[in-house]
Amino acid sequence: NTVIDAHDVSKVYNKETIPVYAVNNVHMHIERGEFTALVGPSGSGKTTLLNLIGGLDKPDSGSVFINSLDITKLSSNKLIDFRLKNIGFVFQSFNLIPVLTARENVEFIMLLQRIKKKERDARVKQLFKQIGMDDKMNARPAQLSGGQQQRAAVARALASKPQFVLADEPTANLDSKAASNLLDMMIALNNEEHITFLFSTHDQRVIDRARRVITLVDGRVVADTAAVSISHK
Ligand code: ADP
Ligand code: ADP
């Protein structure tokens, strides 16, 4: 059950001057329920690849299939809609809307999808229970610790019941205790709710807890701990 299939994807910057192959002929399959870390030195193409997979950016060549649909072929309007329904995003700087409460930040995504109040209420309650923040629903981001803000950001990413969650350096701005708590929560969501996570990181303690690790260097996949099982399919 393949959820992400990046097929021969490339992204080149500075085509007119000195080209930078930020992502260079990458193939990547992610199955439903996987918990994968994308690692590599700074500048190796992790953010660019996550943006291509999430449809935030278009590749110069290659295709990105999400559940067998090539999202590189979608019009911008269709892509916006597709992203909202199918992909949850978590960023290193949390990106919560400061004037909204934690609950409103999560509910906002459901309002965009015209989910009815009864279902919104039930889902908000469930999500805040899952992230261990029932008692912080009505706090604004500034009243929360970094770790709590990022947990709320994960709840927001899950609001639309997406196919998978993409997280770009989700622990980069957290102290080690908050980072470890966030990982515990992501692992629990993966184990109990079968949420598929693909996250970039260069924190070794985070890498150690991933089930699968894909390494990028200079825009290319140079190692994949799942390579053996894939080649036997
Ligand atoms: P990582 O997330 O692994 O640090 P990035 O995807 O941010 O890597 O960057 C990959 C390469 O692409 C780097 O050489 C970076 O300088 C270059 N790059 C990223 N974004 C742009 C951009 N908007 N314009 C030009 N070059 C870029
Ligand atoms: P977490 O493990 O979720 O990151 P911390 O251990 O950082 O939480 O924070 C512990 C407690 O301190 C939290 O309950 C939180 O309410 C409070 N706290 C931490 N940072 C801040 C902050 N910047 N503003 C307000 N409260 C904070």
Side-chain angles (χ1 to χ4, degrees), residues 92-105:
Q92 69 177 56
S93 48
F94 323 136
N95 293 14
L96 296 170
I97 300 172
V99 295
L100 300 182
T101 63
R103 180 203 171 101
E104 288 163 347
N105 267 280

Side-chain angles (χ1 to χ4, degrees), residues 13-14 20 22 41-48:
Y13 290 113
N14 302 336
V20 176
S42 177
S44 58
K46 301 182 296 295
T47 298
T48 304

Side-chain angles (χ1 to χ4, degrees), residues 136 142-148 151 175 177-178 181:
K136 301 277 180 192
Q143 297 169 302
L144 299 171
S145 70
Q148 291 168 338
R151 293 215 294 271
D175 61 40
K177 182 171 167 283
N181 287 343

Side-chain angles (χ1 to χ4, degrees), residues 13-32:
Y13 290 113
N14 302 336
K15 266 176 287 199
E16 270 71 60
T17 53
I18 302 162
V20 176
Y21 289 84
V23 169
N24 198 345
N25 298 107
V26 164
H27 289 266
M28 184 183 288
H29 292 257
I30 304 280
E31 302 285 316
R32 190 171 309 287

Side-chain angles (χ1 to χ4, degrees), residues 142-185:
Q143 297 169 302
L144 299 171
S145 70
Q148 291 168 338
Q149 287 184 61
Q150 195 64 307
R151 293 215 294 271
V154 172
R156 178 183 56 185
L158 294 173
S160 62
K161 302 190 178 177
Q163 300 289 333
F164 58 89
V165 175
L166 294 178
D168 194 2
E169 299 273 2
T171 63
N173 288 315
L174 302 182
D175 61 40
S176 56
K177 182 171 167 283
S180 160
N181 287 343
L182 187 80
L183 252 286
D184 289 343
M185 187 198 80

